[in-house]
Amino acid sequence: MAPSHALRCCKRALNWIPVLFINLVVGWSYYAYVVELCVCEYTDFMGRVDRSQWRTSCSCSQFRDTIPNNAERISYLVVFHVFFTMFVWAYWKTICSTPASPSKAFGLPRAEKELYEREEQAERQQEILKKVARNLPVYTRTAGGAIRYCDICQVVKPDRCHHCSTCEMCVLKMDHHCPWVNNCVGFSNYKFFVLFLAYASLYCVVICATVIQYFIKFWTKQLPDTHAKFHILFLFFVAAMFFISILSLLSYHLWLVGKNRTTIEAFRAPVFANGPDKSGFSLGFGRNVAEVFGDEAKYWMFPVVSNLGDGHSFVTRLVHIDREQANCVLQQNGKSHADGVGTSPCVLSNNIQHTVDDSKETIDGGQRVSVTVEIEP
């Protein structure tokens, strides 16, 4: 027992190495840009600039002449710090956001849980799960058509929810586990993750755009060959390299946002009653973006919570889930919703054949749910 716990602690500690690496690179880039490029100058003991000591003094001795214009220097520092702040803010929001997990409403009631654990036949277990899932807003199934159930967390998985073996929990609208943030990217922090990629790209662009002229001067020997040369040359190379790699990842995730898909769904389409459908959750470009960034554009650029929904139920282009009805079911099963929806009796069935050729009420076993077809533009 003790060795297992020790190994788990070591594993968790090792998971922070990529985060430490990123922070060391960012910290060095801050030093190289602010100190070596924009701030430092060599002065003698009287506080006067001593250019005669260029080749024998500190690495930043030449920068009185590198950026001779104070207005240019100040403008560089202001722009740099704006993007640096937004980048670090979004990055740490992605790291520190706790992954959202299914509520108690998706756990098996005590009686059904005991029956499920005693039952050895998979068919009988599925019957128990179907009985429980009938009162939950879940519409996706496994590839074999079975109810998606996590034996480790002992919950019926909400739509788009998956179990992360690294975080050891089920994560709502899970996209992927990112080692660079040592966290699961999902419903609670996907907006922060996309903003982190966007501001990281802009941070690299700002560095490359403002450093390139001094990079060329060092490269062509127009500036003294001091220790600062190392910082400026490598700063440009590292920023350019990270920009290329981050831009490809950012472009991919912006495409996913526009399609309303997660990385998992892009590789393995969610399975509905009528079969797999990669575009099952797509509601059109505008509504897809609003689901991640919110319906108020003034919050889109900031790493603050503004996404829509609660992560437990999702409107699809095939089935429209009435929000109040879904919240009512969750409350009856033990979830207290922040919207304050009443706990009046309500019924919600998920045994629906998904169709795209009509819009009407479907009745299944005496239970009724409103089905609305929405064709993606």
Side-chain angles (χ1 to χ4, degrees):
M1 193 70 180
S4 177
H5 178 72
L7 289 174
R8 185 176 301 178
C9 290
C10 291
K11 181 182 177 181
R12 289 178 179 175
L14 291 174
N15 287 340
W16 284 102
I17 291 179
V19 176
L20 178 63
F21 171 76
I22 292 296
N23 280 274
L24 289 175
V25 171
V26 173
W28 165 77
S29 70
Y30 184 91
Y31 167 80
Y33 191 94
V34 174
V35 178
E36 294 288 347
L37 179 64
C38 295
V39 175
C40 278
E41 63 185 12
Y42 184 79
T43 58
D44 60 15
F45 68 95
M46 295 293 292
R48 296 170 299 185
V49 177
D50 186 357
R51 293 177 175 79
S52 65
Q53 301 296 323
W54 272 2
R55 296 183 181 276
T56 59
S57 63
C58 70
S59 64
C60 49
S61 59
Q62 78 284 3
F63 284 116
R64 167 69 68 165
D65 288 340
T66 301
I67 309 180
N69 190 326
N70 283 333
E72 180 183 1
R73 186 185 309 189
I74 293 173
S75 63
Y76 280 8
L77 287 172
V78 170
V79 173
F80 174 84
H81 279 92
V82 168
F83 287 101
F84 174 79
T85 300
M86 298 303 294
F87 162 50
V88 173
W89 184 10
Y91 181 58
W92 280 99
K93 283 287 286 186
T94 307
I95 293 175
C96 297
S97 296
T98 303
S101 58
S103 69
K104 294 180 180 179
F106 289 84
L108 297 182
R110 180 176 299 178
E112 282 76 7
K113 183 178 179 181
E114 292 178 354
L115 287 173
Y116 181 86
E117 291 176 347
R118 288 200 304 264
E119 188 59 57
E120 296 181 356
Q121 295 183 359
E123 294 79 5
R124 286 288 300 152
Q125 289 181 330
Q126 273 299 305
E127 291 179 8
I128 297 171
L129 294 178
K130 287 180 180 179
K131 179 181 177 182
V132 175
R134 188 174 293 119
N135 294 322
L136 293 172
V138 291
Y139 295 92
T140 55
R141 300 289 186 267
T142 65
I147 299 296
R148 299 171 63 245
Y149 181 76
C150 180
D151 289 307
I152 299 175
C153 299
Q154 297 185 330
V155 294
V156 175
K157 293 180 182 178
D159 293 341
R160 316 184 84 172
C161 175
H162 299 274
H163 185 87
C164 176
S165 58
T166 304
C167 295
E168 300 179 342
M169 63 183 294
C170 283
V171 179
L172 295 180
K173 197 185 176 183
M174 179 178 173
D175 188 90
H176 68 288
H177 184 91
C178 180
W180 301 108
V181 299
N182 190 29
N183 200 1
C184 255
V185 177
F187 177 78
S188 63
N189 62 354
Y190 187 62
K191 175 192 174 183
F192 307 151
F193 178 75
V194 175
L195 288 179
F196 150 60
L197 295 178
Y199 285 121
S201 299
L202 292 174
Y203 178 71
C204 293
V205 167
V206 168
I207 291 176
C208 290
T210 54
V211 167
I212 186 169
Q213 59 178 312
Y214 307 110
F215 170 86
I216 294 173
K217 288 179 180 180
F218 273 117
W219 193 266
T220 57
K221 307 294 184 180
Q222 296 179 40
L223 286 175
D225 190 12
T226 62
H227 179 59
K229 179 179 179 179
F230 163 83
H231 292 284
I232 302 305
L233 294 181
F234 273 86
L235 181 62
F236 181 83
F237 279 125
V238 171
M241 178 186 66
F242 272 88
F243 171 72
I244 294 172
S245 59
I246 294 173
L247 181 62
S248 60
L249 188 59
L250 172 63
S251 301
Y252 176 67
H253 279 279
L254 289 177
W255 178 80
L256 289 178
V257 170
K259 295 292 185 180
N260 202 341
R261 297 177 192 169
T262 64
T263 299
I264 295 175
E265 291 165 355
F267 286 93
R268 185 173 67 247
V271 180
F272 295 90
N274 67 327
D277 186 354
K278 281 189 176 182
S279 300
F281 293 105
S282 181
L283 306 173
F285 180 78
R287 294 180 65 183
N288 292 343
V289 172
E291 189 169 294
V292 175
F293 290 93
D295 49 13
E296 296 188 59
K298 62 183 179 181
Y299 296 119
W300 288 5
M301 305 306 293
F302 300 96
V304 295
V305 177
S306 61
N307 54 332
L308 302 181
D310 60 3
H312 291 84
S313 60
F314 296 89
V315 179
T316 80
R317 69 187 183 96
L318 301 176
V319 175
H320 174 75
I321 305 174
D322 183 80
R323 290 290 184 186
E324 293 189 1
Q325 195 176 22
N327 291 337
C328 182
V329 170
L330 293 178
Q331 283 185 324
Q332 287 183 340
N333 284 273
K335 179 178 182 293
S336 177
H337 196 273
D339 293 339
V341 180
T343 57
S344 57
C346 59
V347 186
L348 181 64
S349 172
N350 58 13
N351 297 323
I352 300 170
Q353 293 297 321
H354 295 223
T355 60
V356 294
D357 56 357
D358 59 3
S359 178
K360 55 189 176 182
E361 289 187 333
T362 302
I363 301 177
D364 177 32
Q367 295 178 320
R368 180 172 295 182
V369 65
S370 177
V371 179
T372 302
V373 177
E374 301 185 35
I375 302 300
E376 183 179 7

